[in-house]
Amino acid sequence: MQPDNNDRSVEDSIDRRQLLQALGAGGAIAIAGCSGDGGSGSDGGDGDSGSGGDGGDGSTQSVQFLTMGVGDNIKQFFEENNAAFEDEHDVDVEFTSVTWDNARQTVNNRVDGGEAPDVSRWPARWIPQLVGKDALEPLDDMMDGEFGEQFYDGVAEGTMYNGSHYGVPWAASNKCLYYNKDVFETAGLDPEDPSLDSWQDMLDAATQIRDSDASVPALGLAGADAIETGSQYYHYHWSHGADLVDDEGMPVVNSSGAVDALSLYTDLHLEHNVTQSSPLSSTRQDIRQLFENGDLGMVIGHVYTGLNITAAKENGDVDFDYGIVQVPRGPEGRYSLFTIDTLAILSQSEHKDLARDLIRFYFDEERRFQYSKQKGFLPVVEAVGERSYFSESKNWGPFVEAGQYARARPKLGNFSEFNDRMVQAIQEALADRKSPQKALNDAQSDLEDAME
């Protein structure tokens, strides 16, 4: 999810992006097709024949494809593949990318106004709200068959809600712990065997960095009023055996494990003084940038942190080495926040078969490889993830391994509001305005009231 503007989706945090103008807020920019090769099948469903061609009045049939956050690093991929689909099916692809700042409002406005696109990509956590509007077409006919077998099990489950698949997994991201090998060496720590298995191990290393000649903060900690503060904290929360909601979807945020987790999170700054100077004003993006510049000892981040550093080193912009290990384990296990984007068909679509054709087209294995490689996301197709480019890579390998620790945020229709209240509690404790117990008790009370 920023997405927060950073966590709204797995696509919104890539650096060096130049997002297109938002639809409905200053005009949309459609990317026209150019050239490329194609190939796809067709599957049944409601709507048109799926064969494209004449729209019935002599015009060329079209399919509307709405996505978010298409930057320069992936723009050509869509141009070429949209053009290939147009040639193969004799249709027009009306492709539009909107900025993340108003993506959710754009989607809701189009759905509510009866102008929904045929196909759209968004974070899977938006599914409950859109299902509540009867806006999404179930895709069990695709996901329960051969097409659905190509996905990792955990990824496929991420598109399910109330027993049905309301989309196809489009992209995924998770997190690992990065450490600066140069900083570790300066602090007398072994950069090749950092011993960062547990939160206590991480704290011990951070304390040694703090007390050394290293001139950078030991650990990046997010505490700003932004959604990604929650996403950074939940690793601690879950690993202490705490949940956010129970099996009935009711809040359970103030358990003893939750108090221990928030106490650890806030003590890193308030008691141990191992973080940057201002966690309360730091977003996840801020601490990531500090690490990418070589100005931080450790940070929890996505794969593109390493990809950005690698590119910066090749350009001569930075000169340090780094390592990647799994997010530390807590008393009750190890978890890596897993975020899934889904590609969905809208209920209002009059071209549902053609929309299915478009989805199948984009899930050609080679296209999925190129997309994950260029965009910097975990593969959602198992055969792609098994390619050596990912499994044997210094940057990608740890994140592929982290799939076994994946955990997603709960699918709640009001998750944005839920997360906002959790971030408030984190900030209250981090600012030392309330004890972790009091902050979580108050959050629990407010969340219970909101559920009534």
Side-chain angles (χ1 to χ4, degrees):
M1 344 274 143
Q2 118 110 149
D4 53 27
N5 287 332
N6 292 296
D7 247 339
R8 288 174 285 206
S9 156
V10 299
E11 286 208 16
D12 50 13
S13 301
I14 301 296
D15 246 9
R16 307 181 305 276
R17 68 190 186 279
Q18 295 181 353
L19 301 182
L20 304 178
Q21 290 292 326
L23 180 67
I29 296 180
I31 300 177
C34 47
S35 64
D37 54 28
S40 77
S42 176
D43 192 53
D46 298 329
D48 63 337
S49 65
S51 59
D54 196 318
D57 59 358
S59 63
T60 301
Q61 193 176 76
S62 65
V63 59
Q64 295 184 3
F65 183 3
L66 175 67
T67 189
M68 293 89 184
V70 172
D72 288 345
N73 63 336
I74 203 67
K75 181 178 178 180
Q76 184 176 356
F77 170 85
F78 283 112
E79 289 177 338
E80 293 179 354
N81 284 293
N82 286 341
F85 184 81
E86 289 176 334
D87 289 345
E88 181 174 324
H89 290 265
D90 191 22
V91 297
D92 288 334
V93 177
E94 298 180 12
F95 182 81
T96 306
S97 174
V98 299
T99 62
W100 275 111
D101 287 340
N102 67 343
R104 194 163 191 168
Q105 180 181 351
T106 296
V107 170
N108 283 319
N109 286 348
R110 291 190 63 171
V111 168
D112 295 343
E115 298 179 351
D118 298 296
V119 178
S120 187
R121 183 194 63 78
W122 43 54
R125 65 180 176 274
W126 291 9
I127 289 175
Q129 180 196 18
L130 291 164
V131 170
K133 294 184 173 189
D134 294 324
L136 299 184
E137 175 81 358
L139 295 182
D140 297 323
D141 60 313
M142 297 180 70
M143 292 300 294
D144 290 343
E146 182 179 354
F147 177 85
E149 293 175 357
Q150 66 186 305
F151 302 104
Y152 292 102
D153 289 342
V155 172
E157 292 171 2
T159 66
M160 289 197 72
Y161 180 66
N162 288 345
S164 287
H165 290 279
Y166 285 97
V168 170
W170 176 255
S173 72
N174 59 4
K175 298 183 182 183
C176 286
L177 179 66
Y178 285 84
Y179 67 97
N180 185 314
K181 289 187 175 183
D182 294 2
V183 171
F184 268 55
E185 187 170 8
T186 298
L189 297 162
D190 187 344
E192 303 307 324
D193 184 15
S195 299
L196 295 171
D197 184 61
S198 69
W199 295 120
Q200 185 61 52
D201 293 336
M202 185 189 75
L203 176 57
D204 290 344
T207 301
Q208 190 164 331
I209 292 171
R210 180 200 64 193
D211 296 337
S212 74
D213 293 333
S215 59
V216 302
L219 179 68
L221 197 71
D225 183 12
I227 189 174
E228 72 265 28
T229 291
S231 69
Q232 293 292 98
Y233 163 72
Y234 294 145
H235 299 96
Y236 297 76
H237 191 87
W238 290 326
S239 70
H240 281 77
D243 286 319
L244 296 175
V245 297
D246 61 20
D247 292 341
E248 284 71 47
M250 296 302 294
V252 287
V253 302
N254 64 337
S255 65
S256 60
V259 174
D260 290 343
L262 186 54
S263 296
L264 171 60
Y265 196 80
T266 57
D267 283 350
L268 291 170
H269 176 60
L270 296 174
E271 179 179 341
H272 303 296
N273 194 31
V274 294
T275 71
Q276 78 279 15
S277 60
S278 55
L280 280 167
S281 62
S282 298
T283 65
R284 185 191 67 193
Q285 186 176 11
D286 293 330
I287 57 177
R288 173 178 61 80
Q289 192 63 60
L290 282 173
F291 187 85
E292 290 180 11
N293 292 340
D295 296 329
L296 202 59
M298 292 176 281
V299 73
I300 292 175
H302 294 97
V303 67
Y304 52 75
T305 296
L307 299 176
N308 288 345
I309 296 171
T310 299
K313 289 180 72 173
E314 292 174 353
N315 293 332
D317 297 329
V318 298
D319 184 21
F320 71 93
D321 200 6
Y322 63 92
I324 308 173
V325 297
Q326 297 305 312
V327 171
R329 61 174 172 82
E332 300 298 329
R334 186 193 318 275
Y335 295 95
S336 176
L337 179 68
F338 192 67
T339 303
I340 298 174
D341 280 5
T342 182
L343 196 62
I345 297 176
L346 282 294
S347 301
Q348 295 176 22
S349 172
E350 297 180 355
H351 311 295
K352 292 186 177 69
D353 281 357
L354 186 57
R356 282 174 168 82
D357 286 345
L358 181 64
I359 290 175
R360 288 184 178 277
F361 175 87
Y362 267 104
F363 279 88
D364 168 82
E365 185 179 320
E366 185 61 28
R367 289 191 182 93
R368 297 312 306 170
F369 172 70
Q370 292 299 329
Y371 180 80
S372 293
K373 178 181 177 181
Q374 293 178 41
K375 193 62 178 170
F377 295 138
L378 282 173
V380 296
V381 172
E382 192 167 3
V384 175
E386 291 173 350
R387 294 194 180 193
S388 60
Y389 177 88
F390 296 105
S391 62
E392 299 177 9
S393 164
K394 168 188 174 179
N395 284 316
W396 284 100
F399 291 89
V400 173
E401 178 187 348
Q404 63 187 297
Y405 308 117
R407 185 162 179 174
R409 287 161 288 204
K411 289 190 181 73
L412 300 172
N414 65 338
F415 183 78
S416 292
E417 293 79 9
F418 187 105
N419 188 75
D420 287 346
R421 188 59 187 85
M422 284 299 295
V423 170
Q424 179 183 331
I426 296 166
Q427 288 197 302
E428 289 168 343
L430 193 54
D432 209 16
R433 294 196 300 269
K434 293 181 181 179
S435 69
Q437 181 76 71
K438 172 65 172 170
L440 290 172
N441 284 347
D442 290 349
Q444 175 73 19
S445 178
D446 289 346
L447 290 170
E448 288 177 353
D449 290 344
M451 294 290 186
E452 294 181 353

